Every structure is written in C-alpha cells, then in structure tokens.
Amino acid sequence: MRPLQAKLAKTDLLRQAREAKAAGIYPYFRSIESDQDTEVIINGKKVLMFGSNAYLGLTNHPKVKEAAIEATRKYGTGCAGSRYLNGTLDLHLQLEKRLAEFVGKDDAIIYSTGFQVNLGVVSCLTGRDDYILWDELDHASIIEGHRLSFSTKLKYRHNDMDSLEKQLLKCEEGKIKLIVVDGIFSMEGDIANLPEIVRLARKYDAYVMVDEAHGLGVLGKQGRGTCEHFGVTDSVDLIMGTFSKSFASIGGFIASDYEIIDYLRHHSRSYIFSASSTPAATAAASAALDIMLNEPERIEHLWKLTHYALDGFRRMGCETGHTETPIIPLFIRNNDLTFLIVKELFDTGIFVNPVVAPAVAPQDTLIRFSLMATHSFEQLDFAMNAIHHLFAKYHLLNK
C-alpha cells in the first residue's frame, strides 16, 4: 500500500466505517429509489422518512416540479458560467429581490449551495486585524469559512451568553467584530438566543450574521425565520438561507444592506468563481417561496406535529436535550448502539439519521428525528411506538 493510502486507512473514521460495514450496521449513503416524501423506497422497501430536512414537504409539490420543468424548457439545464460573467439570469435577479424582501433586508445574492454562502461570506468580510466570534455548535460551513479568514477567531460555549461576552471583551476596540451563529442548530434543534446576542452586539459594537438554514419555513410569520420570530431582524446585519431545506431545491443566499451585498458580489470567491445556480433550482426555490407565503396551514401543521412529538418522546422518557423545533435529537450516547438502533428502526420501516463521533463527542451520539409538514399523525405514532420499543429494549428511557 502506498504511503497516502496507508495513512488514510489508519484514520479512526475509516476504521469505524469499515467495522460498521463488517457488522452490517453501516447507515450511510443509502440509495433512495423514489421522491423525497414522507415515505421513500430503499432497496425496493417502503420506509417512513424521518430524516429529511424538507420541513414543509415541498420537494414533490406539483407547482415546484412544474416550475423546475418550465425553467429547464426555457433556459436549458445550466448557465455554463459564474454569476460574475455569463451566468446571471433574470430568474436569479427576480428571486434575489423576493428573498431580500422576505427576510427584511435591502438586497440579496444567490450562491450555488448554502455551504458556499457561509464559506464565501464568513471568509471575506473581516480582515487580519478583526474578529470572528462563533458558537461551538455552528454548522461546518461556518467553521470552514472562518478557517479561510485571516481574522482572529474566538469560539464561545454553545448558546452561553456569558461565554460570548467574555470573548467580546477580548476584542480590541475599533476593530470589526462579527458574531456568526445558527438560528436553529441543525443537530440539537435548539434556538439561538438572538435577543441576547443582539444586545451584546450593540453593547460591544459588533455585527451579527445568522444562518437561517433550518429557521426559514419553520419559525416566524410565514416562515420568515428566527430573526423575525424574535423581532430582531433590523438588528441583525446579515441573514443567510439555504434552498435545500424548506425551499425544496439546492442553493443558498445571503441578505444584508446594499453596501455589504455589493461588496460580497465583487469579493466573495465562492460566489465569483462558482457556476451559478441552475435555472431549475432557482425556479423551484421561487415556487417554494410562493407556497410558503400562500399556504400558512403547512407551517401550522408542522408545529402541531412538533408539539405532539416532543410531548410524546419526553413522556416516554427519551432524552431530547433543549430542542424546541421539528429537529428532535434522541440521545443514545454510544456510537455502536446508535448504529444498531438506526438499523433496527430501518428494518421496522423507519428512516432516521445517526449523529456520531466525530460529528459530536462520543458521549453525545444521537438519532436525529426530523418532521415534515406532510407527515400524518398516524405515521408519527408508528415511528414513536417503534422508538419506544427499542429504547426500552436497550434501557435508554429515563423513568
């Protein structure tokens, strides 16, 4: 074996993956043979999907699919270039205007993925003498973005405002301070303490950027997100969103005031040097926004399911952490047992996502159980009963 291959083969992650495969409990890259609905087909078997980020259940909505098809007919399958050069369509400009209005900002620009938004924005807004402050449970795209920056990076404990203030006190006066935080944390399902973050930002003259990937379509009036939910939109400087969750597509955007957006338009490398979002993806996201605005009953049903599930899991004795959202962590706190339970649930007809080390600490492993507005209470009851049986079997219920 050559040196690189030999080195990679010894990594903990590869070793764990191979051990899981050998034990028949490897849970990743499962091939779905149907649309992303509440029920999917894997290896010819129907299973209930409780692992999707499509919170409003719009990925197979007729209007969304038709919008993508019509855009492909008119514009073709791709733009063959970056937004900076030949890749800007009127579709992009129209959606950017709508998104800025939706989240309450002056302007917005669309990136090809949500990951590229955080990568390109966080890495270029601050300079060598400035500061980036980030929650220890921020999404990996935020972490990769600040790694590319020459600024000083200061991590604060998860949702701990005393820790954030201590880090702000380390910052030199007169320098730019950018606090970057998830609105809803993607694995734990808890909500950032935005009112207090905004208060501290004002006190220490800092800027705030909120990643609304899991907040849009879930929180706030008509799904406008965590900032609107707390009434702090005007005090948040940048609002990021992604199309791969409630917007039923692929892509992402950043919204802010005119000056910041114009700067990013000309300096953000993941925007300038990436091919632009496809016509189909852009049109699908726009159609999803229409539905979000015009069908509030979807969000209402999502929250009825959420309250029902949270109450049920907690009554049965599952450890769910501090979640308040359709993202429900079910803590197992053991890597191998997490894999085993995910497999046994799949055999029962339920798809859930394992979250294990190194994504989380070994003592924090969990099942990520997520809801869509298109789930029924009957489907939810089936899944909860199966989880109750397995968690009781493995002595995971706190009773």
Side-chain angles (χ1 to χ4, degrees):
M1 189 180 291
R2 298 179 67 190
L4 176 61
Q5 288 85 340
K7 180 179 179 181
L8 295 177
K10 293 178 182 177
T11 61
D12 287 343
L13 194 56
L14 263 185
R15 177 183 54 78
Q16 291 168 6
R18 288 171 178 168
E19 288 174 354
K21 289 177 182 178
I25 57 173
Y26 183 73
Y28 302 118
F29 304 105
R30 291 174 280 187
S31 177
I32 297 174
E33 301 154 6
S34 63
D35 57 356
Q36 188 80 205
D37 204 349
T38 58
E39 188 176 78
V40 299
I41 299 174
I42 299 177
N43 296 329
K45 175 184 177 179
K46 289 183 179 181
V47 295
L48 291 176
M49 172 54 73
F50 284 97
S52 175
N53 291 322
Y55 301 115
L56 295 183
L58 298 178
T59 54
N60 62 350
H61 193 288
K63 292 181 180 178
V64 175
K65 292 196 290 187
E66 187 57 34
I69 292 168
E70 284 300 315
T72 302
R73 287 196 181 106
K74 179 176 180 179
Y75 298 96
T77 56
C79 297
S82 73
R83 289 290 305 279
Y84 204 63
L85 298 173
N86 63 299
T88 292
L89 302 176
D90 54 355
L91 279 181
H92 295 127
L93 300 178
Q94 291 161 11
L95 182 55
E96 286 169 343
K97 182 178 179 180
R98 296 187 67 202
L99 289 168
E101 180 181 353
F102 181 64
V103 299
K105 292 299 172 188
D106 293 343
D107 201 359
I109 49 175
I110 294 171
Y111 289 66
S112 300
T113 69
F115 198 104
Q116 286 179 304
V117 178
N118 285 336
L119 193 70
V121 174
V122 177
S123 62
C124 83
L125 271 185
T126 56
R128 191 179 297 274
D129 297 326
D130 301 321
Y131 301 87
I132 298 172
L133 300 98
W134 59 287
D135 187 293
E136 64 182 346
L137 294 187
D138 275 351
H139 190 265
S141 56
I142 294 173
I143 296 171
E144 291 304 310
H146 76 58
R147 280 178 177 173
L148 293 176
S149 171
F150 291 109
S151 303
T152 299
K153 298 94 176 179
L154 299 173
K155 177 174 68 174
Y156 63 92
R157 290 191 299 273
H158 177 53
N159 238 355
D160 186 327
M161 298 299 101
D162 289 336
S163 177
L164 173 57
E165 184 161 24
K166 287 177 183 176
Q167 297 294 49
L168 284 164
L169 285 166
K170 296 178 182 178
C171 300
E172 185 180 346
E173 289 187 18
K175 305 300 182 183
I176 296 171
K177 299 172 280 290
L178 176 65
I179 303 169
V180 189
V181 65
D182 288 8
I184 294 178
F185 291 91
S186 60
M187 295 300 155
E188 296 75 15
D190 53 338
I191 304 172
N193 187 353
L194 287 187
E196 185 64 9
I197 291 172
V198 163
R199 186 190 71 80
L200 289 172
R202 285 174 175 164
K203 181 177 179 180
Y204 293 98
D205 193 24
Y207 292 82
V208 179
M209 173 178 167
V210 178
D211 179 333
E212 289 277 26
H214 299 271
L216 296 176
V218 176
L219 286 175
K221 183 180 179 183
Q222 296 176 298
R224 296 173 194 267
T226 319
C227 299
E228 201 280 338
H229 170 73
F230 284 117
V232 297
T233 297
D234 291 343
S235 300
V236 169
D237 301 282
L238 298 104
I239 295 176
M240 174 270 182
T242 184
F243 299 158
S244 56
K245 279 75 176 175
S246 294
F247 285 91
S249 183
I250 184 71
F253 72 93
I254 189 74
S256 187
D257 61 38
Y258 291 118
E259 291 77 15
I260 289 176
I261 293 300
D262 203 33
Y263 176 85
L264 292 170
R265 196 176 276 123
H266 294 88
H267 289 83
S268 177
R269 293 172 71 86
S270 65
Y271 175 78
I272 296 170
F273 295 101
S274 290
S276 60
S277 178
T278 67
T282 308
S286 186
L289 179 56
D290 288 338
I291 296 166
M292 202 180 301
L293 291 170
N294 295 317
E295 298 182 17
E297 62 272 16
R298 285 183 175 267
I299 299 176
E300 291 169 9
H301 183 65
L302 177 64
W303 279 103
K304 287 178 183 177
L305 291 168
T306 299
H307 296 314
Y308 182 84
L310 285 172
D311 182 60
F313 281 129
R314 286 167 178 162
R315 277 191 292 105
M316 72 173 70
C318 292
E319 184 185 355
T320 59
H322 300 290
T323 183
E324 304 173 59
T325 67
I327 301 169
I328 302 175
L330 302 172
F331 285 91
I332 296 174
R333 303 192 181 283
N334 178 288
N335 260 20
D336 292 339
L337 186 55
T338 300
F339 282 155
L340 179 59
I341 289 176
V342 166
K343 180 186 183 300
E344 292 191 21
L345 283 172
F346 182 81
D347 292 341
T348 305
I350 299 163
F351 185 112
V352 291
N353 291 312
V355 183
V356 299
V360 293
Q363 68 272 18
D364 292 332
T365 63
L366 56 93
I367 286 173
R368 184 184 186 274
F369 185 93
S370 53
L371 295 163
M372 292 184 281
T374 42
H375 279 124
S376 68
F377 284 100
E378 291 75 19
Q379 290 173 325
L380 183 52
D381 281 335
F382 180 84
M384 292 174 70
N385 287 334
I387 289 169
H388 183 267
H389 172 75
L390 280 176
F391 275 46
K393 174 182 173 182
Y394 291 109
H395 309 290
L396 293 169
L397 298 178
N398 298 319
K399 283 195 170 183

